Amino acid sequence: AAQRLVGEHDFVHFCKVDTSKPNMTTMRKILSFGVEPVIPEQDTSPYAIWAFEIHATAFLWHQVRAMAAILFAVGRREHQPDVVS
């Protein structure tokens, strides 16, 4: 699901809108998005630690936090992967 975020998209639903900047665009370009368990043998544990490596031209306020949250929800099967599109 993380690869669906790569490219140029409107991330308005993945950020906290800054009302002090009404003309700011929510279009951002994700260059690469990687997700890996920090300790591979524990990747099935509900308490596993994951590393996110995200390269982008810029980020919005809370964008990375929101992207991580939805990817964890997909991983827990609370949402289908197509929710990230």
Side-chain angles (χ1 to χ4, degrees):
Q3 293 309 305
R4 293 175 182 239
L5 296 168
V6 174
E8 189 167 359
H9 306 283
D10 186 351
F11 287 96
V12 69
H13 299 294
F14 289 90
C15 72
K16 184 172 181 179
V17 177
D18 187 350
T19 57
S20 70
K21 300 176 184 175
N23 296 327
M24 185 182 74
T25 180
T26 53
M27 294 294 293
R28 294 294 186 268
K29 186 174 183 178
I30 303 292
L31 305 172
S32 65
F33 200 128
V35 182
E36 294 183 13
V38 174
I39 304 172
E41 60 271 7
Q42 293 183 354
D43 64 357
T44 59
S45 165
Y47 304 105
I49 298 173
W50 295 82
F52 288 70
E53 185 170 335
I54 308 164
H55 296 263
T57 55
F59 292 103
L60 296 163
W61 192 20
H62 293 295
Q63 179 183 351
V64 173
R65 181 182 304 186
M67 292 186 304
I70 197 66
L71 291 174
F72 279 124
V74 169
R76 289 189 304 265
R77 292 179 168 58
E78 295 170 5
H79 294 289
Q80 295 294 318
D82 63 353
V83 75
V84 184
S85 57

